[in-house]
Amino acid sequence: NAGVTQTPKFQVLKTGQSMTLQCAQDMNHNSMYWYRQDPGMGLRLIYYSASEGTTDKGEVPNGYNVSRLNKREFSLRLESAAPSQTSVYFCASSTNRGRGSPLHFGNGTRLTVT
Amino acid sequence: SQQGEEDPQALSIQEGENATMNCSYKTSINNLQWYRQNSGRGLVHLILIRSNEREKHSGRLRVTLDTSKKSSSLLITASRAADTASYFCATLSNFGNEKLTFGTGTRLTIIP
Protein backbone atom coordinates (compact mmCIF):
# COMPACT_ATOMS: atom_id res chain seq x y z
CA ASN A 1 0.00 0.00 0.00
CA ALA A 2 1.94 3.04 -1.28
CA GLY A 3 -0.27 5.78 0.22
CA VAL A 4 0.60 9.16 -1.33
CA THR A 5 3.33 9.15 -3.97
CA GLN A 6 5.03 12.30 -5.20
CA THR A 7 7.36 12.70 -8.16
CA PRO A 8 10.00 13.91 -8.61
CA LYS A 9 11.76 13.84 -5.24
CA PHE A 10 14.20 16.60 -6.20
CA GLN A 11 14.21 19.23 -8.94
CA VAL A 12 16.37 22.21 -9.86
CA LEU A 13 14.90 24.82 -12.21
CA LYS A 14 16.15 28.03 -13.67
CA THR A 15 14.04 31.15 -13.26
CA GLY A 16 11.30 31.18 -15.87
CA GLN A 17 11.24 27.45 -16.49
CA SER A 18 8.06 25.47 -15.99
CA MET A 19 7.39 22.11 -14.43
CA THR A 20 4.64 19.92 -13.07
CA LEU A 21 4.76 18.13 -9.73
CA GLN A 22 2.86 14.88 -9.74
CA CYS A 23 0.90 13.34 -6.89
CA ALA A 24 -1.11 10.13 -6.73
CA GLN A 25 -2.90 8.40 -3.87
CA ASP A 26 -4.19 4.85 -3.71
CA MET A 27 -6.43 5.17 -0.63
CA ASN A 28 -9.60 6.17 -2.53
CA HIS A 29 -9.59 9.52 -0.75
CA ASN A 30 -11.90 12.28 -1.92
CA SER A 31 -9.80 15.30 -1.00
CA MET A 32 -6.27 16.22 -2.05
CA TYR A 33 -4.03 19.12 -1.13
CA TRP A 34 -0.79 20.84 -2.08
CA TYR A 35 1.28 22.52 0.65
CA ARG A 36 4.64 24.21 0.64
CA GLN A 37 6.98 24.12 3.61
CA ASP A 38 9.51 26.84 4.23
CA PRO A 39 11.82 27.26 7.25
CA GLY A 40 10.06 29.05 10.08
CA MET A 41 6.78 29.21 8.16
CA GLY A 42 5.23 25.85 8.82
CA LEU A 43 3.07 24.42 6.05
CA ARG A 44 1.03 26.74 3.87
CA LEU A 45 -1.80 25.55 1.66
CA ILE A 46 -1.41 26.32 -2.03
CA TYR A 47 -4.45 24.64 -3.57
CA TYR A 48 -6.84 21.90 -2.62
CA SER A 49 -9.44 19.69 -4.26
CA ALA A 50 -12.36 18.69 -2.07
CA SER A 51 -13.51 16.12 -4.59
CA GLU A 52 -12.85 14.98 -8.14
CA GLY A 53 -13.63 17.81 -10.54
CA THR A 54 -13.24 20.67 -8.07
CA THR A 55 -10.25 22.80 -7.08
CA ASP A 56 -9.94 25.83 -4.84
CA LYS A 57 -7.24 28.30 -3.87
CA GLY A 58 -5.53 28.07 -0.55
CA GLU A 59 -3.43 30.60 1.30
CA VAL A 60 -0.63 31.06 -1.27
CA PRO A 61 -1.92 30.19 -4.78
CA ASN A 62 -0.12 32.87 -6.82
CA GLY A 63 2.27 31.42 -9.39
CA TYR A 64 0.71 27.96 -9.32
CA ASN A 65 -1.99 26.01 -11.12
CA VAL A 66 -3.46 22.62 -10.33
CA SER A 67 -5.29 19.84 -12.09
CA ARG A 68 -7.35 17.12 -10.45
CA LEU A 69 -6.89 14.61 -13.23
CA ASN A 70 -9.05 11.93 -11.62
CA LYS A 71 -9.79 10.74 -8.10
CA ARG A 72 -6.23 9.42 -7.67
CA GLU A 73 -4.13 12.20 -9.16
CA PHE A 74 -3.62 15.88 -8.34
CA SER A 75 -0.84 17.79 -10.09
CA LEU A 76 0.74 21.16 -9.32
CA ARG A 77 2.18 23.27 -12.12
CA LEU A 78 4.63 26.13 -11.96
CA GLU A 79 4.29 28.02 -15.23
CA SER A 80 7.25 30.37 -14.77
CA ALA A 81 9.36 29.44 -11.78
CA ALA A 82 10.74 32.15 -9.50
CA PRO A 83 13.39 31.90 -6.74
CA SER A 84 10.64 32.60 -4.19
CA GLN A 85 9.15 29.23 -5.14
CA THR A 86 12.21 27.40 -3.80
CA SER A 87 10.61 25.19 -1.19
CA VAL A 88 9.60 21.68 -0.22
CA TYR A 89 6.24 20.77 -1.69
CA PHE A 90 3.95 18.24 -0.05
CA CYS A 91 0.89 16.57 -1.44
CA ALA A 92 -1.68 15.19 0.97
CA SER A 93 -5.02 13.45 0.84
CA SER A 94 -7.92 12.82 3.20
CA THR A 95 -11.20 10.96 3.23
CA ASN A 96 -13.08 14.13 4.14
CA ARG A 97 -15.88 11.97 5.47
CA GLY A 98 -15.88 14.15 8.58
CA ARG A 99 -14.80 17.71 9.13
CA GLY A 100 -11.06 18.03 9.40
CA SER A 101 -10.24 14.42 8.61
CA PRO A 102 -6.57 13.58 9.18
CA LEU A 103 -4.24 14.17 6.26
CA HIS A 104 -1.95 11.57 4.71
CA PHE A 105 1.20 13.11 3.27
CA GLY A 106 3.65 12.15 0.59
CA ASN A 107 7.39 12.49 1.21
CA GLY A 108 7.73 15.76 -0.64
CA THR A 109 9.42 17.31 -3.66
CA ARG A 110 12.43 19.49 -2.91
CA LEU A 111 12.48 22.27 -5.50
CA THR A 112 15.28 24.77 -6.00
CA VAL A 113 14.84 27.68 -8.40
CA THR A 114 18.05 29.45 -9.35
CA SER B 1 -1.45 33.34 8.39
CA GLN B 2 -0.58 30.80 11.06
CA GLN B 3 -3.39 29.71 13.34
CA GLY B 4 -1.28 27.49 15.58
CA GLU B 5 1.98 28.46 17.21
CA GLU B 6 4.07 25.79 18.89
CA ASP B 7 6.23 26.35 21.91
CA PRO B 8 9.09 25.78 22.36
CA GLN B 9 10.60 26.02 18.88
CA ALA B 10 13.22 23.45 19.85
CA LEU B 11 13.56 20.98 22.73
CA SER B 12 16.37 18.58 23.66
CA ILE B 13 15.92 15.95 26.36
CA GLN B 14 17.56 12.75 27.54
CA GLU B 15 16.15 9.45 26.40
CA GLY B 16 13.61 8.19 28.86
CA GLU B 17 12.45 11.64 29.94
CA ASN B 18 9.05 13.09 29.10
CA ALA B 19 8.68 15.75 26.40
CA THR B 20 5.97 18.39 26.44
CA MET B 21 5.12 20.67 23.54
CA ASN B 22 2.48 23.36 23.49
CA CYS B 23 0.29 24.84 20.78
CA SER B 24 -1.68 28.06 20.98
CA TYR B 25 -4.26 29.17 18.46
CA LYS B 26 -6.36 32.25 17.82
CA THR B 27 -9.88 31.40 16.71
CA SER B 28 -12.59 28.94 17.73
CA ILE B 29 -11.80 25.47 16.44
CA ASN B 30 -13.65 22.31 15.45
CA ASN B 31 -10.66 20.06 16.14
CA LEU B 32 -6.92 20.14 16.67
CA GLN B 33 -4.47 17.59 15.31
CA TRP B 34 -0.84 16.75 16.02
CA TYR B 35 1.56 15.53 13.35
CA ARG B 36 5.15 14.27 13.41
CA GLN B 37 7.71 14.89 10.68
CA ASN B 38 10.94 12.96 10.52
CA SER B 39 13.82 14.59 8.69
CA GLY B 40 13.33 14.49 4.93
CA ARG B 41 9.89 12.88 5.15
CA GLY B 42 6.26 13.90 5.01
CA LEU B 43 4.08 14.56 8.03
CA VAL B 44 2.44 11.68 9.83
CA HIS B 45 -0.82 12.12 11.71
CA LEU B 46 -0.55 11.28 15.42
CA ILE B 47 -3.78 12.22 17.14
CA LEU B 48 -6.94 14.31 16.71
CA ILE B 49 -8.81 15.96 19.57
CA ARG B 50 -12.21 17.54 19.08
CA SER B 51 -13.27 20.82 20.65
CA ASN B 52 -15.60 19.05 23.11
CA GLU B 53 -12.79 16.78 24.36
CA ARG B 54 -10.27 17.70 27.03
CA GLU B 55 -7.78 14.85 26.86
CA LYS B 56 -6.86 11.95 24.58
CA HIS B 57 -4.30 9.20 24.79
CA SER B 58 -2.60 7.10 22.17
CA GLY B 59 0.16 4.83 23.38
CA ARG B 60 2.87 7.06 24.87
CA LEU B 61 1.13 10.20 23.63
CA ARG B 62 -1.19 12.34 25.70
CA VAL B 63 -2.90 15.39 24.25
CA THR B 64 -4.84 17.97 26.22
CA LEU B 65 -7.02 20.76 24.91
CA ASP B 66 -8.09 23.88 26.80
CA THR B 67 -10.51 25.81 24.61
CA SER B 68 -10.85 28.60 27.17
CA LYS B 69 -7.12 29.31 26.83
CA LYS B 70 -7.03 28.34 23.14
CA SER B 71 -4.15 25.98 23.76
CA SER B 72 -3.17 22.34 23.50
CA SER B 73 -0.26 20.30 24.74
CA LEU B 74 1.36 17.12 23.48
CA LEU B 75 3.13 14.95 26.04
CA ILE B 76 5.40 12.13 24.93
CA THR B 77 6.26 9.87 27.85
CA ALA B 78 9.38 7.73 28.21
CA SER B 79 10.98 9.26 25.13
CA ARG B 80 13.04 7.20 22.69
CA ALA B 81 15.66 8.15 20.14
CA ALA B 82 13.10 7.37 17.42
CA ASP B 83 10.91 10.21 18.74
CA THR B 84 13.46 12.71 17.39
CA ALA B 85 11.41 14.69 14.87
CA SER B 86 9.50 17.90 14.35
CA TYR B 87 5.99 18.07 15.78
CA PHE B 88 3.25 20.27 14.35
CA CYS B 89 -0.20 21.17 15.54
CA ALA B 90 -2.93 21.85 13.01
CA THR B 91 -6.34 23.37 13.63
CA LEU B 92 -9.65 23.26 11.84
CA SER B 93 -11.48 26.51 12.36
CA ASN B 94 -15.17 26.67 13.13
CA PHE B 95 -15.45 29.47 10.63
CA GLY B 96 -15.35 29.42 6.87
CA ASN B 97 -13.29 26.82 5.07
CA GLU B 98 -12.67 23.18 5.83
CA LYS B 99 -8.91 23.40 5.63
CA LEU B 100 -6.38 22.66 8.33
CA THR B 101 -3.96 25.42 9.32
CA PHE B 102 -0.54 24.31 10.54
CA GLY B 103 1.78 25.87 13.08
CA THR B 104 5.52 26.30 12.68
CA GLY B 105 6.49 23.22 14.68
CA THR B 106 8.65 22.13 17.60
CA ARG B 107 11.95 20.40 16.81
CA LEU B 108 12.42 17.61 19.39
CA THR B 109 15.82 15.96 19.84
CA ILE B 110 16.17 12.92 22.07
CA ILE B 111 19.71 12.46 23.37
CA PRO B 112 20.63 8.76 23.78
Side-chain angles (χ1 to χ4, degrees):
Chain A
N1 191 343
V4 178
T5 303
Q6 293 183 235
T7 56
K9 288 185 170 54
F10 301 93
Q11 184 71 49
V12 178
L13 292 178
K14 294 186 189 309
T15 297
Q17 288 185 319
S18 62
M19 78 162 294
T20 299
L21 282 64
Q22 307 286 354
C23 174
Q25 53 90 10
D26 62 3
M27 296 173 283
N28 201 35
H29 284 171
N30 292 318
S31 300
M32 298 186 73
Y33 310 79
W34 277 105
Y35 286 88
R36 59 177 289 173
Q37 184 176 35
D38 302 292
M41 300 288 290
L43 275 78
R44 292 181 292 169
L45 183 65
I46 305 171
Y47 270 94
Y48 72 104
S49 171
S51 61
E52 187 179 354
T54 68
T55 60
D56 281 290
K57 295 178 180 179
E59 185 184 351
V60 288
N62 290 345
Y64 305 95
N65 285 300
V66 290
S67 295
R68 183 74 183 266
L69 305 170
N70 47 55
K71 192 171 186 179
R72 289 187 65 245
E73 298 172 287
F74 189 38
S75 62
L76 178 72
R77 183 160 178 84
L78 287 69
E79 291 291 351
S80 179
S84 61
Q85 294 178 305
T86 292
S87 187
V88 182
Y89 292 85
F90 288 99
C91 177
S93 68
S94 71
T95 60
N96 214 31
R97 278 198 290 269
R99 291 196 69 205
S101 302
L103 300 182
H104 298 254
F105 283 84
N107 283 325
T109 295
R110 282 145 188 82
L111 175 66
T112 301
V113 183
T114 61
Chain B
S1 61
Q2 300 300 323
Q3 161 77 311
E5 295 291 337
E6 288 89 343
D7 170 58
Q9 289 187 329
L11 177 63
S12 293
I13 61 172
Q14 295 290 135
E15 192 169 18
E17 293 181 340
N18 295 342
T20 300
M21 288 156 265
N22 303 297
C23 170
S24 60
Y25 57 90
K26 296 179 182 138
T27 63
S28 174
I29 60 169
N30 175 279
N31 70 60
L32 184 146
Q33 302 177 29
W34 285 92
Y35 288 79
R36 182 188 74 235
Q37 183 180 32
N38 292 96
S39 181
R41 305 298 293 261
L43 280 71
V44 174
H45 179 258
L46 296 176
I47 198 163
L48 180 155
I49 187 165
R50 301 195 185 281
S51 59
N52 61 352
E53 297 175 312
R54 292 297 166 258
E55 188 171 311
K56 282 190 85 169
H57 297 255
S58 177
R60 293 184 296 112
L61 305 181
R62 173 179 167 247
V63 169
T64 61
L65 179 64
D66 187 334
T67 54
S68 67
K69 294 182 180 177
K70 292 188 171 60
S71 67
S72 173
S73 67
L74 171 66
L75 169 67
I76 303 174
T77 60
S79 62
R80 305 167 181 169
D83 295 328
T84 293
S86 292
Y87 292 82
F88 294 86
C89 68
T91 54
L92 179 70
S93 173
N94 269 329
F95 306 106
N97 61 64
E98 296 280 332
K99 301 179 289 295
L100 288 175
T101 303
F102 285 82
T104 53
T106 292
R107 175 68 189 167
L108 175 65
T109 302
I110 307 299
I111 304 164

